[in-house]
Amino acid sequence: MYLKRINRVIDLALMDVLTPPKMGKTTGPEHRLMLYAMLAMMLPSTEVLATVIQNVPQLLMKEMNDTAIGVLVLIMAVHLTFILKANMEVLTHTTAVIAMEMTNTKPVVRRAFVSIAGSALWNIDRVDANAVLAFSMGITSALETNLKVVTTNPLTATVGPLEGICCPCSVHGSLDRYREV
């Protein structure tokens, strides 16, 4: 019973924090930043994961404030890393959204999602998990696309080196120990 109450309180807190930015009812970027900072204080857990993974990518695509984008990237990366470390399957839809947004035409959105994927893959310590393999295979084409675009454009182009360096770092970082990738 106590656990049910805690879960209910967590659900209510998540709703209170996520509803204003989702509905566009914030008073400005500072208000959204404060709400995202509150969301960042929620530690990754099975109770929080579904809500965060479902809502944060949508908020990230709409956000224009660089500081708020940075907080949302941190939130998403921490929760995605938690999922992969726990060997829980990342939803196919979530992997598809991340892969699609990694090649977005808007540089800010593209950089944000590349950072999320790169951070999650870099921070895993066990790569023999099926969840890691499934996620990395789901974003492989986006990583390859970004690497090709960066290598064929000058460094001053809107596609910066971050998008390209994420691919070799992921492959030669944690994933290097897993030969199927």
Side-chain angles (χ1 to χ4, degrees), residues 37-55:
M38 288 180 207
L39 185 60
M41 292 296 120
M42 294 197 153
L43 297 175
S45 66
T46 53
E47 294 82 21
V48 176
L49 282 177
T51 305
V52 168
I53 295 296
Q54 181 182 7
N55 290 294

Side-chain angles (χ1 to χ4, degrees), residues 6 8 11-13 19 50 57 59 62 86 89 100-101 111 116 120 135 137 147 153 158 161 172-173 175-176:
I6 294 293
R8 179 72 180 138
D11 288 342
L12 289 172
T19 300
L59 295 172
K62 294 189 310 186
E89 201 68 33
M100 183 179 71
E101 297 305 326
R111 241 175 249 125
I116 290 167
F135 177 72
M137 294 307 285
L147 183 60
N153 286 308
T158 57
H172 293 293
L175 294 178
D176 192 35

Side-chain angles (χ1 to χ4, degrees), residues 103-167:
T103 57
N104 193 307
T105 55
K106 296 178 186 174
V108 174
V109 174
R110 183 178 55 243
R111 241 175 249 125
F113 281 92
V114 167
S115 295
I116 290 167
S119 295
L121 291 175
W122 187 259
N123 290 323
I124 54 172
D125 48 2
R126 251 185 71 223
V127 293
D128 59 337
N130 292 334
V132 174
L133 179 61
F135 177 72
S136 59
M137 294 307 285
I139 64 167
T140 300
S141 63
L143 289 170
E144 288 173 356
T145 301
N146 282 330
L147 183 60
K148 286 177 189 174
V149 170
V150 167
T151 56
T152 58
N153 286 308
L155 289 177
T156 56
T158 57
V159 176
L162 170 71
E163 289 93 332
I165 200 71
C166 186
C167 179

Side-chain angles (χ1 to χ4, degrees), residues 7 12 25 27 45 73 91 105 134 149:
N7 288 344
L12 289 172
K25 303 288 184 191
T27 58
S45 66
V73 166
L91 295 175
T105 55
V149 170

Side-chain angles (χ1 to χ4, degrees), residues 58-74:
Q58 297 168 4
L59 295 172
L60 232 161
M61 289 184 269
K62 294 189 310 186
E63 187 58 58
M64 292 291 140
N65 183 284
D66 288 342
T67 309
I69 288 173
V71 174
L72 288 171
V73 166
L74 175 70

